[in-house]
Amino acid sequence: MNSLRPKANIVPTQKRGHVQDEIADRLRKGLMVGAFIPGQVMSLRKLAASFGTSPMPVRDALGQLVAANALEEMPNRSVRVPRLTTDRVKDLFEVRELVESLAARNAARNATPALIRELQAINRDLKISIARRDVLAALAANQKFHFTLYQAADSSVVMPLIESLWLQSGPTMYCSFLAPDMPWDASAHTEVLEGLKKKNPTAVQRAVARDIRTAGRHLVQAGTFQLPGGMMMLPTEISLDL
Amino acid sequence: MNSLRPKANIVPTQKRGHVQDEIADRLRKGLMVGAFIPGQVMSLRKLAASFGTSPMPVRDALGQLVAANALEEMPNRSVRVPRLTTDRVKDLFEVRELVESLAARNAARNATPALIRELQAINRDLKISIARRDVLAALAANQKFHFTLYQAADSSVVMPLIESLWLQSGPTMYCSFLAPDMPWDASAHTEVLEGLKKKNPTAVQRAVARDIRTAGRHLVQAGTFQLPGGMMMLPTEISLDL
DNA sequence: GCGTCGCTTCTGTGATCACATCTCGTGATA
DNA sequence: TATCACGAGATGTGATCACAGAAGCGACGC
């Protein structure tokens, strides 16, 4: 009877109540994978149009990401992908080293043979991607390696923290690792696996700490994050085919 | 011309665009101060009615707090104050010890005489509140002591993490420290101040770690958080006079 | 030619509505 | 009396609308 009936989602209402979460997931993935340029503003309505929804779930998703420090809020109340300063990168990796070391140590205590096998498989993929110079796949494999390891720590307190820290460093890491001469040392991962096999949590902890420390050092040295935004061949417009 | 004109906020539109933030702040404060019982569900419309606004800004505020792990989302999509298990408390304080130790260490490097004086003043208030058995004031002073110290670390990465961790432990801490026999050792704070005066970051770090460790131990021992919800004289309904 | 005013557009925010889902209470029936 | 079913209410979610502010941009005046 009422003319206000909405146009009924183009998609046949896939899952009720999970729209904002799916949007948030796609945005998260996009941030990790470098689909968004540091400094890029995330327009509410444009994102909504891209997703084919109303601005409402997008607003919620952006709010989540802002609360997780994955996006930053400008005085205009617009949100954008944060551009990191050198100091902030140092801070970020200092904390990452600390927190992820803890997670790695605790994960090592709970390590099962199945976990070790899974990590070995992921590391194989990682090495292949590195050999192919496939930055995207390498970053994805690297993330998967770390997160499956940390997951074994079985801490619902630490995991969200680590996710937040990765989301913050994600876009910048992607940009920096686009430099073809960026060395990538996968030896730390090998040390992790050896430590797990020997059931030596301290060794695993040290290996993860070393991995993060060297990554952070390379990132600071490269310093690509302090270049003026908009460089590189990345699309200025939002690409949502994630 | 349109009849849809809303009823115009009772409050003469204090500040545009800061409604959701004020709501989030009041909820945060309420969580820290124990205005909400662990397990209590935060109803969107009821909160909105209490605040005298539409459910919209409340939805945003709750989303922020859920993203910060200060509130948890039930399968119903309702959000509630999380009730902590023993394991989670241990996790929480393990991470708190780690992260806040780092912040304390870095803060000690930047410590100024003014900061030391400020911390001394706060600690005086804390001791007075303890002597008076004023749990609320003591918790507030304790929080102020820690946060002003960490603020000196000048890290926009670490501070949000610490805030999130405090928000998670806030309600439970309040409930536990209601027990009149809960011992409160302020000696760690004295050690912190001495370390700051001697410009010894390691000493400050150790003191903060000890402070958190003992607090966590007492919390686990007391174990009040695992009592069935709804105990104590706390109001079941939401009290918003914060 | 350059600066400035004003308009158009776009931004996020808050309110209201419609709806699917779930809960809870009341009723009837066995 | 016990149990099941139906219904009324409440829940969060998403869409749409109204509005205030900022920003871009073009035209006009100096």
Side-chain angles (χ1 to χ4, degrees), chain B residues 149-169:
Chain B
L149 174 63
Y150 304 149
Q151 202 72 345
D154 191 33
S155 166
S156 53
V157 171
V158 181
M159 277 307 290
L161 261 57
I162 296 180
E163 281 179 20
S164 168
L165 294 171
W166 275 69
L167 278 174
Q168 291 180 56
S169 51

Side-chain angles (χ1 to χ4, degrees), chain A residues 2 5 16 42-46 56 59 77-78:
Chain A
N2 196 316
R5 181 69 193 86
R16 177 82 190 176
M42 311 289 272
S43 165
L44 214 57
R45 287 176 173 85
K46 295 202 181 137
M56 195 59 50
R59 183 205 296 202
R77 291 274 158 179
S78 297

Side-chain angles (χ1 to χ4, degrees), chain B residues 107-205:
Chain B
R109 294 208 184 94
N110 305 336
T112 63
L115 173 71
I116 297 178
R117 278 196 303 273
E118 190 179 354
L119 288 174
Q120 281 174 328
I122 298 173
N123 207 33
R124 260 194 300 274
D125 293 344
L126 172 59
K127 285 179 182 172
I128 294 174
S129 301
I130 292 176
R132 286 181 186 166
R133 304 278 178 198
D134 186 347
V135 182
L136 217 75
L139 280 170
N142 185 47
Q143 177 195 344
K144 196 172 181 186
F145 183 89
H146 282 262
F147 274 64
T148 49
L149 174 63
Y150 304 149
Q151 202 72 345
D154 191 33
S155 166
S156 53
V157 171
V158 181
M159 277 307 290
L161 261 57
I162 296 180
E163 281 179 20
S164 168
L165 294 171
W166 275 69
L167 278 174
Q168 291 180 56
S169 51
T172 297
M173 278 196 71
Y174 176 80
C175 286
S176 296
F177 278 82
L178 279 183
D181 59 336
M182 169 65 68
W184 198 324
D185 189 8
S187 68
H189 288 199
T190 309
E191 282 182 31
V192 169
L193 291 169
E194 289 175 1
L196 288 174
K197 287 180 201 163
K198 294 176 183 171
K199 299 187 182 302
N200 185 346
T202 304
V204 175
Q205 175 177 358

Side-chain angles (χ1 to χ4, degrees), chain A residues 115-186:
Chain A
L115 174 71
I116 297 177
R117 279 196 302 274
E118 190 180 355
L119 288 175
Q120 282 174 327
I122 298 173
N123 207 34
R124 262 194 300 275
D125 293 345
L126 172 59
K127 286 178 181 172
I128 294 174
S129 301
I130 293 177
R132 287 180 185 165
R133 304 278 178 199
D134 187 346
V135 182
L136 217 75
L139 280 170
N142 185 48
Q143 178 196 341
K144 196 171 180 184
F145 184 89
H146 282 262
F147 274 65
T148 48
L149 174 63
Y150 303 149
Q151 203 71 324
D154 191 33
S155 166
S156 54
V157 170
V158 181
M159 277 306 291
L161 262 56
I162 295 180
E163 280 179 21
S164 169
L165 294 171
W166 274 70
L167 279 174
Q168 292 180 56
S169 52
T172 298
M173 278 195 71
Y174 177 79
C175 286
S176 297
F177 279 82
L178 280 182
D181 59 336
M182 169 65 65
W184 197 322
D185 188 9

Side-chain angles (χ1 to χ4, degrees), chain A residues 28 30-34 36 38 68-71 81-84 88-97 100 139 142-143 147 161-177 212 215-216 219 224-225, chain B residues 157:
Chain A
R28 255 187 282 265
L31 284 171
M32 290 267 198
V33 99
F36 307 112
N69 295 293
L71 297 174
V81 184
R83 45 165 186 63
L84 302 184
R88 193 174 174 85
V89 171
K90 286 177 182 170
D91 268 13
L92 205 43
F93 276 80
E94 187 180 21
V95 184
R96 277 194 53 191
E97 187 181 331
E100 298 183 35
L139 280 170
N142 185 48
Q143 178 196 341
F147 274 65
L161 262 56
I162 295 180
E163 280 179 21
S164 169
L165 294 171
W166 274 70
L167 279 174
Q168 292 180 56
S169 52
T172 298
M173 278 195 71
Y174 177 79
C175 286
S176 297
F177 279 82
I212 297 172
L219 205 54
T224 49
F225 48 85
Chain B
V157 171

Side-chain angles (χ1 to χ4, degrees), chain B residues 1-240:
Chain B
M1 65 185 74
N2 197 316
S3 66
L4 269 184
R5 181 70 193 88
K7 57 179 175 181
N9 301 354
I10 297 94
V11 186
T13 310
Q14 32 189 9
K15 280 177 187 172
R16 177 82 191 175
H18 289 290
V19 180
Q20 75 172 254
D21 291 319
E22 181 176 335
I23 292 180
D25 280 343
R26 288 171 71 175
L27 289 178
R28 256 187 283 265
K29 192 175 176 182
L31 284 171
M32 290 267 198
V33 98
F36 308 112
I37 303 174
Q40 173 180 1
V41 302
M42 311 290 271
S43 165
L44 215 55
R45 287 178 172 84
K46 296 211 181 126
L47 281 174
S50 302
F51 284 116
T53 67
S54 85
M56 194 59 49
V58 179
R59 184 205 294 203
D60 294 334
L62 289 183
Q64 289 181 33
L65 293 173
V66 169
N69 295 293
L71 296 174
E72 70 178 1
E73 205 171 22
M74 299 162 61
N76 329 359
R77 292 273 160 181
S78 296
V79 306
R80 68 175 174 192
V81 183
R83 42 161 189 65
L84 302 184
T85 64
T86 308
D87 286 344
R88 193 173 174 84
V89 170
K90 286 178 182 170
D91 269 13
L92 205 44
F93 276 80
E94 187 179 21
V95 184
R96 276 194 54 191
E97 186 181 332
L98 204 69
V99 176
E100 298 183 35
S101 292
L102 174 68
R105 181 185 194 84
N106 289 340
R109 294 208 184 94
N110 305 336
T112 63
L115 173 71
I116 297 178
R117 278 196 303 273
E118 190 179 354
L119 288 174
Q120 281 174 328
I122 298 173
N123 207 33
R124 260 194 300 274
D125 293 344
L126 172 59
K127 285 179 182 172
I128 294 174
S129 301
I130 292 176
R132 286 181 186 166
R133 304 278 178 198
D134 186 347
V135 182
L136 217 75
L139 280 170
N142 185 47
Q143 177 195 344
K144 196 172 181 186
F145 183 89
H146 282 262
F147 274 64
T148 49
L149 174 63
Y150 304 149
Q151 202 72 345
D154 191 33
S155 166
S156 53
V157 171
V158 181
M159 277 307 290
L161 261 57
I162 296 180
E163 281 179 20
S164 168
L165 294 171
W166 275 69
L167 278 174
Q168 291 180 56
S169 51
T172 297
M173 278 196 71
Y174 176 80
C175 286
S176 296
F177 278 82
L178 279 183
D181 59 336
M182 169 65 68
W184 198 324
D185 189 8
S187 68
H189 288 199
T190 309
E191 282 182 31
V192 169
L193 291 169
E194 289 175 1
L196 288 174
K197 287 180 201 163
K198 294 176 183 171
K199 299 187 182 302
N200 185 346
T202 304
V204 175
Q205 175 177 358
R206 266 205 309 268
V208 167
R210 191 170 74 81
D211 189 31
I212 297 172
R213 189 188 299 259
T214 59
R217 233 196 305 264
H218 287 156
L219 205 54
V220 172
Q221 284 177 2
T224 49
F225 48 87
Q226 56 190 5
L227 291 181
M231 76 299 184
M232 308 203 174
M233 80 306 299
L234 291 177
T236 307
E237 277 309 312
I238 304 153
S239 78
L240 293 155

